């Protein structure tokens, strides 16, 4: 479903500048056409279901809605469709704090204990500035298994105050904390004396004319024209919690563009206050954190880019602002991990810069799914293998997408076809623990216990933390011996460094004693555990990494296995 492609042109009545502005209009037209080519390509191959707005020099040059607001009723999206913003909400929370600061109702240096005295004594060392910059040491409540339908701010605070210490000394490091932002929402309520959702409406949304934006909390307001969240395979995965501060806001393209443009003015706060918000926080050791007040900050060649992403349930969101050039774009989606956010944003950046751009590679799962509509499974597998072999530069062997297709067939009781798809995944992602785990499940469904056991064991070999595989093998009477992997400190130190996954996304590997940690840009640091000498896995997300050596035996890259394989070169 493709709808409402809007290419916006601007007229001038000044004869003296007519020629220059016509050239500028031609450039905007060309960019809009390239963006339309990009987005329709992504929609056609199931890499985008959502809305997009792109602006240049403060003017909209492209706005579009592609796909469905509700995949069950097939209601189409429109540019006015309202989405849950996920963590893009955080920039609004910090704006509330900035407004109160300019009204002399609080100070960034105020301590958490001043407003939330129920916290243990360590809160006396945490400032509001620490909370805004993710440098407080307050843990992310999602890492404490807090998620549940109907989760409230009170639930989060009750859990956080049970922690007997901070994760680290305030200001010592950056570590993404949704819990810290829940605290900020409660501080806004304490200082203003009114509920958070009312404060936001009266002091931000209404002054900016954001008529389709609201905070969704325990009051459960009605959300008109609302997009419903689904997972990548089309299963319902809608927003279902009631927390605010870290998330909780619903909005649409029109309102977010008003928000973007207001940040060039002083409608809400002064430019000096905004400049501070758009500056990276300086850690205790003097290093920059690449995060300001609710915004990721990237300083490059004298230019400043601020951006933020969001991800929860079926929603994936992103806003990026090129402050110097007054360029921005907004992406709102509601079909889970199917969106190719990295490829889309890289292409948009290049288009706006007037550079060559690449269309994201086509997920082979999308091709397989289309082929299955008209061909038998054996023909589909042959065709898929041929396409990968002959045009590898055109397609990406998307492990998660292929896996989802297999489960879709399994749910339809098409067991033999599911087995062929899972086997296809194993062949092209031979190091994926998840591919073997899924194959094991399909084989169990078929009744082939012997081969199911072999696949589950292989899965655990790649990911010792695969609790599902361990549980299944235990049910089948198989014992799993845990292995103690001993790696020298010298070898561990060779892995330390920064690995570039995309131009704006770095994986930082560090060591603390004998423990190894990974710190992705804009996310919290977490421990990784060895499965082999050079292969590590996470216990928080389904991801593994392998460290690779060059011809001289030095570590020059890592491979991330998370819904596929992605190479990240070592840059530092």
């Amino acid at each position: 479903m493709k709808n409402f492609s809007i290419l916006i042109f601007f007229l001038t009545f000044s004869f003296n500048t007519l020629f220059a502005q016509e050239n500028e209009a031609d450039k905007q037209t060309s960019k809009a056409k390239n963006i339309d080519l990009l987005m329709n390509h992504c929609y056609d191959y199931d890499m985008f279901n959502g809305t997009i707005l792109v602006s240049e020099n403060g003017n909209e040059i492209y706005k579009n809605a592609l796909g469905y607001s509700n995949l069950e009723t097939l209601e189409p999206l429109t540019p006015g469709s309202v989405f849950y913003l996920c963590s893009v909400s955080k920039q609004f929370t910090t704006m509330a704090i900035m407004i109160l600061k300019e009204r002399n109702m609080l100070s960034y240096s105020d301590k958490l204990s001043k407003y939330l005295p129920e916290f243990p004594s360590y809160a006396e060392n945490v400032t509001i500035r620490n909370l805004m910059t993710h440098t407080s040491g307050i843990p992310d409540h999602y890492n404490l298994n807090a998620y549940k339908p109907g989760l409230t701010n009170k639930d989060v605070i009750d859990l956080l105050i049970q922690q007997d210490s901070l994760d680290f000394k305030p200001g010592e490091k950056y570590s993404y904390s949704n819990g810290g932002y829940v605290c900020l929402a409660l501080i806004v309520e304490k200082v203003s004396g009114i509920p958070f959702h009312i404060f936001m409406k009266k002091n931000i949304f209404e002054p900016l004319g954001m008529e389709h934006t609201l905070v969704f909390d325990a009051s459960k307001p009605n959300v008109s024209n609302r997009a419903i969240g689904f997972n990548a395979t089309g299963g319902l995965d809608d927003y279902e919690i009631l927390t605010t501060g870290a998330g909780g806001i619903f909005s649409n393209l029109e309102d977010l563009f008003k928000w973007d443009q207001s940040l060039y003015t002083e409608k809400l706060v002064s430019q000096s206050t905004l400049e501070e918000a758009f500056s990276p926080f300086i850690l205790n050791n003097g290093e920059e954190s690449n995060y300001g007040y609710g915004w990721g900050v990237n300083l490059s060649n004298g230019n400043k880019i601020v951006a933020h992403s969001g991800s929860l349930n079926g929603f994936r969101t992103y806003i990026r602002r090129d402050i110097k050039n007054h360029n921005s774009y907004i992406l709102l989606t509601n079909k889970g991990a199917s969106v190719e956010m990295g490829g889309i944003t890289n292409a948009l950046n290049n288009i706006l810069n007037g550079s060559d751009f690449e269309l994201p590679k086509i997920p082979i799962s999308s091709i397989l799914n289309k082929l299955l509509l008209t061909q038998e499974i054996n023909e589909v597998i042959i065709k898929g293998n041929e396409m990968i072999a002959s045009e590898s530069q055109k397609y990406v062997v998307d492990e998660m997408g292929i896996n989802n297709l297999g489960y879709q067939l399994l749910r339809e009781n098409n067991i033999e076809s599911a087995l062929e798809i899972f086997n296809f995944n194993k062949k092209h992602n031979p190091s994926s623990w998840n591919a073997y785990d899924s194959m094991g499940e399909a084989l169990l469904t078929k009744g082939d216990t012997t081969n199911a056991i072999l696949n589950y064991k292989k899965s655990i070999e790649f990911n010792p933390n695969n609790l599902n595989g361990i549980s299944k093998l235990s049910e089948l009477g198989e014992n799993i011996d845990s292995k103690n992997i001993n790696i020298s400190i010298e070898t561990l130190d060779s892995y330390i460094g920064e690995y570039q996954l995309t131009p704006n996304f770095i994986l930082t590997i560090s060591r603390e004693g004998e423990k190894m940690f990974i710190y992705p840009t804009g996310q919290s640091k977490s421990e990784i555990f060895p499965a082999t000498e050079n292969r590590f896995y996470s216990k928080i997300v389904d991801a593994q990494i392998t460290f690779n050596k060059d011809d001289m035996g030095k570590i020059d890259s890592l491979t991330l296995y998370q819904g596929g394989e992605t190479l990240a070169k070592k840059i530092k």
Side-chain angles (χ1 to χ4, degrees):
M1 177 65 62
K2 304 175 188 176
N3 294 301
F4 303 99
S5 179
I6 300 176
L7 309 186
I8 301 175
F9 306 89
F10 300 91
L11 302 177
T12 177
F13 298 98
S14 171
F15 178 80
N16 291 333
T17 60
L18 179 61
F19 181 76
Q21 292 199 22
E22 282 182 340
N23 283 343
E24 186 61 31
D26 288 343
K27 290 179 182 178
Q28 290 183 345
T29 302
S30 176
K31 290 178 180 180
K33 288 180 178 178
N34 284 335
I35 295 169
D36 198 51
L37 172 67
L38 165 69
M39 299 313 300
N40 279 282
H41 167 82
C42 291
Y43 174 76
D44 287 342
Y45 293 104
D46 201 26
M47 292 183 280
F48 188 82
N49 189 96
T51 61
I52 173 175
L53 184 150
V54 183
S55 70
E56 185 175 48
N57 297 323
N59 298 314
E60 290 183 19
I61 63 170
Y62 183 82
K63 184 161 64 175
N64 205 351
L66 302 104
Y68 296 100
S69 172
N70 187 326
L71 291 171
E72 293 178 344
T73 64
L74 300 185
E75 178 184 349
L77 287 164
T78 72
S81 294
V82 175
F83 290 74
Y84 173 60
L85 297 187
C86 314
S87 286
V88 170
S89 304
K90 288 182 171 66
Q91 57 203 253
F92 293 96
T93 302
T94 54
M95 177 56 75
I97 293 291
M98 290 187 279
I99 289 170
L100 291 171
K101 184 255 188 185
E102 286 206 345
R103 293 175 184 173
N104 296 316
M105 298 177 71
L106 58 73
S107 168
Y108 295 158
S109 60
D110 285 347
K111 302 298 191 291
L112 173 61
S113 55
K114 178 178 179 179
Y115 303 104
L116 300 178
E118 59 266 43
F119 268 87
S121 60
Y122 59 69
E124 297 173 2
N125 301 314
V126 175
T127 67
I128 288 178
R129 182 179 283 107
N130 291 141
L131 294 172
M132 291 195 294
T133 56
H134 298 296
T135 60
S136 67
I138 297 290
D140 188 330
H141 54 275
Y142 292 130
N143 292 341
L144 300 175
N145 299 316
Y147 187 88
K148 65 177 182 179
L151 183 74
T152 64
N153 285 1
K154 183 180 184 304
D155 295 328
V156 172
I157 296 301
D158 287 347
L159 178 62
L160 292 179
I161 63 177
Q162 293 175 24
Q163 311 308 307
D164 56 11
S165 64
L166 297 170
D167 285 349
F168 52 85
K169 182 179 178 181
E172 183 177 76
K173 61 185 70 173
Y174 167 94
S175 183
Y176 198 83
S177 174
N178 286 291
Y181 268 72
V182 169
C183 292
L184 288 172
L186 294 178
I187 289 172
V188 171
E189 291 187 337
K190 284 284 185 75
V191 174
S192 68
I194 59 177
F196 183 73
H197 70 276
I198 294 177
F199 181 90
M200 301 299 281
K201 179 180 179 180
K202 297 295 185 183
N203 293 277
I204 299 177
F205 305 151
E206 286 185 348
L208 297 183
M210 298 174 68
E211 298 176 356
H212 311 287
T213 305
L214 55 81
V215 175
F216 192 88
D217 59 8
S219 65
K220 298 182 179 180
N222 178 58
V223 183
S224 301
N225 201 17
R226 183 186 187 285
I228 307 300
F230 293 85
N231 62 32
T233 59
L236 186 65
D237 190 13
D238 202 22
Y239 182 64
E240 58 182 0
I241 62 176
L242 304 171
T243 57
T244 61
I249 294 178
F250 281 80
S251 190
N252 67 2
L253 293 177
E254 178 186 354
D255 281 7
L256 290 173
F257 185 56
K258 290 179 180 178
W259 163 251
D260 163 56
Q261 293 301 295
S262 77
L263 298 178
Y264 293 107
T265 72
E266 296 190 338
K267 290 181 178 179
L268 298 179
V269 294
S270 68
Q271 281 298 307
S272 60
T273 292
L274 288 171
E275 177 61 26
E276 183 177 0
F278 298 149
S279 300
F281 179 80
I282 306 301
L283 300 173
N284 295 346
N285 62 5
E287 294 182 359
E288 292 185 350
S289 69
N290 296 324
Y291 198 91
Y293 300 163
W295 293 90
V297 183
N298 182 13
L299 305 175
S300 177
N301 300 321
N303 197 10
K304 180 179 288 185
I305 307 294
V306 295
H308 213 292
S309 62
S311 174
L312 190 67
N313 301 113
F315 298 94
R316 302 291 184 271
T317 58
Y318 191 73
I319 181 171
R320 181 185 190 268
R321 304 180 66 245
D322 178 342
I323 295 177
K324 179 180 179 181
N325 296 307
H326 284 222
N327 297 343
S328 67
Y329 56 80
I330 302 158
L331 299 163
L332 306 175
T333 74
N334 65 324
K335 200 183 175 190
S338 65
V339 62
E340 177 48 45
M341 194 68 81
I344 292 171
T345 57
N346 285 338
L348 287 174
N349 295 342
N350 287 329
I351 292 171
L352 285 171
N353 290 333
S355 305
D356 292 338
F357 70 98
E358 294 182 358
L359 296 175
K361 288 186 176 182
I362 299 170
I364 200 67
S365 65
S366 175
I367 299 298
L368 297 177
N369 196 23
K370 292 179 187 297
L371 291 173
L372 280 169
L373 297 175
T374 58
Q375 299 180 31
E376 296 296 324
I377 185 63
N378 61 322
E379 297 172 330
V380 171
I381 297 299
I382 292 171
K383 183 65 173 178
N385 286 327
E386 289 176 348
M387 296 172 81
I388 292 170
S390 62
E391 297 182 279
S392 60
Q393 76 285 353
K394 183 177 179 180
Y395 300 100
V396 59
V397 185
D398 55 320
E399 174 202 334
M400 193 59 67
I402 300 168
N403 211 52
N404 288 337
L405 178 58
Y407 275 111
Q408 178 181 316
L409 293 167
L410 204 59
R411 287 193 297 270
E412 295 170 357
N413 204 33
N414 192 344
I415 299 174
E416 293 302 324
S417 292
L419 285 168
E420 290 292 338
I421 292 296
F422 288 135
N423 197 51
F424 179 91
N425 209 8
K426 283 172 50 180
K427 175 184 176 180
H428 293 287
N429 293 291
S431 300
S432 166
W433 71 269
N434 197 36
Y436 285 93
D437 184 87
S438 300
M439 187 69 171
E441 184 172 342
L443 287 165
L444 268 187
T445 303
K446 182 183 179 182
D448 187 348
T449 303
T450 300
N451 284 309
I453 290 173
L454 293 175
N455 277 271
Y456 278 127
K457 285 185 174 181
K458 191 70 174 178
S459 173
I460 292 169
E461 179 183 322
F462 285 123
N463 180 11
N465 194 49
N466 177 13
L467 299 180
N468 179 68
I470 293 171
S471 174
K472 291 295 184 183
L473 286 170
S474 177
E475 292 174 9
L476 295 169
E478 294 289 321
N479 294 319
I480 302 299
D481 296 325
S482 60
K483 297 180 180 179
N484 186 22
I485 309 296
N486 294 313
I487 305 175
S488 69
I489 296 297
E490 181 182 7
T491 298
L492 293 177
D493 283 344
S494 71
Y495 301 149
I496 294 173
E498 296 180 0
Y499 299 79
Q500 188 174 50
L501 205 63
T502 67
N504 296 313
F505 196 84
I506 306 298
L507 300 176
T508 301
I509 305 297
S510 62
R511 178 176 67 83
E512 296 179 14
E514 296 182 352
K515 296 181 178 181
M516 298 296 289
F517 293 85
I518 186 169
Y519 168 27
T521 299
Q523 300 179 26
S524 57
K525 184 179 75 172
S526 62
E527 187 175 358
I528 51 177
F529 303 85
T532 65
E533 185 176 72
N534 72 324
R535 188 179 181 93
F536 289 70
Y537 64 96
S538 169
K539 291 185 178 180
I540 296 176
V541 297
D542 290 338
Q544 300 84 46
I545 60 172
T546 297
F547 294 98
N548 309 311
K549 294 181 179 180
D550 62 15
D551 294 338
M552 303 299 292
K554 293 184 177 180
I555 302 298
D556 69 340
S557 65
L558 64 77
T559 302
L560 171 68
Y561 301 92
Q562 188 177 23
E565 298 183 17
T566 308
L567 187 70
K569 288 290 186 181
K570 191 174 186 180
I571 59 173
K572 186 177 179 182

